[in-house]
Amino acid sequence: MDNNRGLFDDLVKENPEESSIDRLFENLLSMKPIFSNREVLRPSYTPDYLPHRLDQINAVAEILVAALRGESPSNILIYGKTGTGKTATLESVSKKLMDLSDKMHIECKVLFINCERIDTQYRILAHLARHYNRDVPITGWPTDQVFNEFREALDKKEQIAIIILDEIDNLVKKSGDDILYNLSRINADLKKAKVSIIGISNDLTFTDYLDPRVKSSLGEEEIIFPPYNADQLRDILEQRSKMAFKDNTLEPAVIPLCAAFAAQEHGDARKALDLLRVSAELAERQRDTVVREEHVRKAREKIEIDRITEVVRTLPTQSKLVLFSIVQLDSTGSHELNTGDVYNVYRRLCRMIDMDVLTQRRVTDLISELDMLGIINAIVVSKGRYGRTKEIALSVPAESTRKVLLDDYRLRTLKDARPHFETQQRFNESQPG
């Protein structure tokens, strides 16, 4: 009997919690909504009209119109930084091309491949072959066999295949240019079908990694997508905001501020849209019915912390130790950290957790990599007859970075570690006796 009463008591305790959750959802749903369609602010959404990309849309269309005449369009390389509308432009033009080809009864297919996810020659060829209903295993076949399967399936009838390789620079850096060599020359082996290749790259220098023959055949046409400026970003945000938000939910300063912040980040429209969306989501969580300037500033900080968290979390252990050394030194209030200071602390931390100590030259390389990731700022300065060194400063919030680093089980024992300088000691040792 007593046991049953105890069980009943537990159930009674749980019910109020369930009721409070129900009430929480009811309260949230009863609030006046800010969004009418938040999905239009996500990178996956492609609007019917792309502001400030008419020149690029026309350039792509003028090349691809050859497919509607039954001809093979020239291969294209498209360059531009992240968030400059490259993928959205290709998706928009491709959709219109497919619609027109259907109306004109022309066999034309656009095959879109994201090379960040499908990143080897085998995977790309298998993906293409499966599109034409060939049963290719995930692994196990020789690459030549997979290529032949795709080629034979493609050449069954007269058709145009436009293969778009998004993030092509990732593919080349990881797997080389063999796949590009084979695809760019496939037309010579086809009797009925024709293939056109479009490569989309965030890196303007990626062709430096290509064989000259691949570079020549792949880059028959080149189109550059410049970064958006603040006024252009404002137009993009205005366009999306009309679809994304209820009336009178944005303060007038919100969109110009989002555009200004994103313009500082190399004119990245994705970042501008993310910033606007997160600003509105923060306003909702605070039970506000209007998005204000303060929400934008908080959202910018949150996005930056989230980005840093992801980058820092995926660093190799040795890079984490170097960064932790910099964070530790920064906590002392010193604003003039150099490579020697960082190396001394790094060496002591390695010994504390029984890690191999890298050479100072290798640690200098890791500092340069952290600089490239935007986590620190490292400037080479001359010390005259004492040589050159790097002056190092954190570019990210120290405390949040420290917390992410200590999430790594290998670094947790360093929680109470304290930095100590040997700078003065080195200086004294260098003086004549």
Side-chain angles (χ1 to χ4, degrees), residues 211-277:
D211 180 289
R213 293 169 298 174
V214 176
K215 186 175 179 179
S216 174
S217 58
L218 191 62
E220 293 173 340
E221 299 276 358
E222 295 186 351
I223 300 173
I224 307 293
F225 280 63
Y228 295 107
N229 61 36
D231 289 338
Q232 292 171 335
L233 288 170
R234 189 185 308 183
D235 290 342
I236 292 168
L237 294 179
E238 291 281 4
Q239 178 206 35
R240 301 287 183 98
S241 68
K242 290 173 184 174
M243 298 179 278
F245 299 109
K246 300 286 186 182
D247 292 339
N248 304 316
T249 53
L250 297 183
E251 276 191 349
V254 166
I255 284 178
L257 187 59
C258 287
F261 281 147
Q264 295 169 13
E265 298 281 340
H266 314 296
D268 189 333
R270 288 185 190 177
K271 287 188 177 178
L273 292 163
D274 276 346
L275 182 56
L276 183 58
R277 176 179 55 80

Side-chain angles (χ1 to χ4, degrees), residues 2 39 52 72 76 87-88 90 105-106 121 127-128 140 161 190 205 225 230 232 255 258 279 293 319 325 361 400 431:
D2 290 342
E39 298 307 310
H52 304 291
S72 176
I76 314 172
T87 303
L90 264 295
H105 305 292
I106 293 170
Q121 179 172 209
H127 179 85
L128 293 171
L190 297 174
T205 65
F225 280 63
Q232 292 171 335
I255 284 178
C258 287
S279 300
E293 188 176 325
S319 296
S325 304
R361 179 184 291 273
S400 56
Q431 301 306 302

